[in-house]
Amino acid sequence: KNEVEQSPQNLTAQEGEFITINCSYSVGISALHWLQQHPGGGIVSLFMLSSGKKKHGRLIATINIQEKHSSLHITASHPRDSAVYICAVRSGSGGSNYKLTFGKGTLLTVNP
Amino acid sequence: KAGVTQTPRYLIKTRGQQVTLSCSPISGHRSVSWYQQTPGQGLQFLFEYFSETQRNKGNFPGRFSGRQFSNSRSEMNVSTLELGDSALYLCASSRTIRSEAFFGQGTRLTVV
């Protein structure tokens, strides 16, 4: 079982729909990242969370440390939101075991 | 403010050769980390440098090595290339090991 599990793997939505992508992890973490990757490879860091909720424009990220779960929400989705969304957790207490582990990603396609 | 710059963007090498990839971090960032992305394994952590010292290392063979210079620029080297090393190699920089990471566009390496 992967340390970081994302669901769904693929998601197709119509423009304007509310989107939720989930991330569950099995290790203790110090931070969780949500990343966006467009075709061509470049990755953009959307959020880094260690507790609570963050909002940036139409994007909202939440994390529940006790349940080891995070969600990324996109309100009023748009075709330009089509991308792969990747959850990554930073675990370890420092020193040589401090590392970033990634989920497999969620491919989001928003149709006009 | 310039982002993270990786060079070259694309590279084709032959099995058995070696390759060096370069990453210039955002000005003021002292931490550089490297990742390998393949269709089968997704994103995997290679190593992380801070102030010219390797702080963390992922589960990759010794053919993968790196270094960081005094100006925080980093290089990654892969020796005795194998077909399975074909991947997108991404680097990310951050102010410190625990701060938010900013990714470059990646170097797409093809081994033939």
Side-chain angles (χ1 to χ4, degrees):
Chain A
K1 189 179 190 297
N2 291 329
E3 290 181 349
V4 182
E5 296 279 354
Q6 281 186 241
S7 63
Q9 285 187 314
N10 294 281
L11 183 55
T12 300
Q14 289 300 122
E15 184 173 357
E17 285 185 1
F18 181 83
I19 304 288
T20 296
I21 299 170
N22 296 298
C23 175
S24 296
Y25 52 91
S26 57
V27 296
I29 68 168
S30 56
L32 181 143
H33 300 254
W34 280 103
L35 310 171
Q36 180 193 56
Q37 185 172 33
H38 281 283
I43 287 181
V44 174
S45 177
L46 298 174
F47 296 102
M48 185 175 76
L49 295 166
S50 54
S51 65
K53 177 179 172 178
K54 285 191 176 181
K55 184 174 189 293
H56 185 258
R58 295 180 295 105
L59 302 177
I60 303 166
T62 63
I63 187 168
N64 185 318
I65 297 294
Q66 287 73 29
E67 294 186 4
K68 291 187 166 61
H69 181 268
S70 175
S71 293
L72 176 69
H73 305 287
I74 304 175
T75 62
S77 59
H78 189 276
R80 65 174 174 266
D81 297 326
S82 298
V84 175
Y85 292 83
I86 301 168
C87 169
V89 300
R90 189 172 272 286
S91 59
S93 57
S96 60
N97 66 343
Y98 198 58
K99 65 173 185 176
L100 207 57
T101 306
F102 299 86
K104 296 291 188 188
T106 295
L107 175 60
L108 171 65
T109 304
V110 181
N111 295 316
Chain B
K1 191 175 184 182
V4 178
T5 304
Q6 289 188 246
T7 56
R9 290 292 310 278
Y10 302 92
L11 204 48
I12 300 175
K13 288 286 188 179
T14 305
R15 267 183 306 175
Q17 286 186 313
Q18 74 164 16
V19 67
T20 299
L21 311 181
S22 179
C23 174
S24 293
I26 291 172
S27 177
H29 286 193
R30 295 170 64 191
S31 175
V32 173
S33 49
W34 289 90
Y35 306 89
Q36 182 196 64
Q37 187 177 38
T38 58
Q41 298 296 321
L43 272 162
Q44 293 182 279
F45 170 71
L46 278 158
F47 26 65
E48 182 167 37
Y49 287 86
F50 182 78
S51 294
E52 302 176 66
T53 302
Q54 186 180 91
R55 303 296 175 140
N56 298 289
K57 191 176 190 303
N59 296 323
F60 278 81
R63 300 186 296 106
F64 291 81
S65 63
R67 58 180 176 168
Q68 187 181 34
F69 301 95
S70 58
N71 61 359
S72 294
R73 190 178 71 85
S74 178
E75 287 181 348
M76 191 193 95
N77 184 275
V78 188
S79 62
T80 320
L81 284 165
E82 301 176 0
L83 295 178
D85 297 332
S86 295
L88 179 68
Y89 290 89
L90 290 151
C91 86
S93 78
S94 55
R95 288 196 180 277
T96 68
I97 285 177
R98 293 172 188 257
S99 345
E100 185 175 6
F102 295 84
F103 286 79
Q105 291 293 305
T107 294
R108 187 165 296 280
L109 171 65
T110 302
V111 182
V112 298

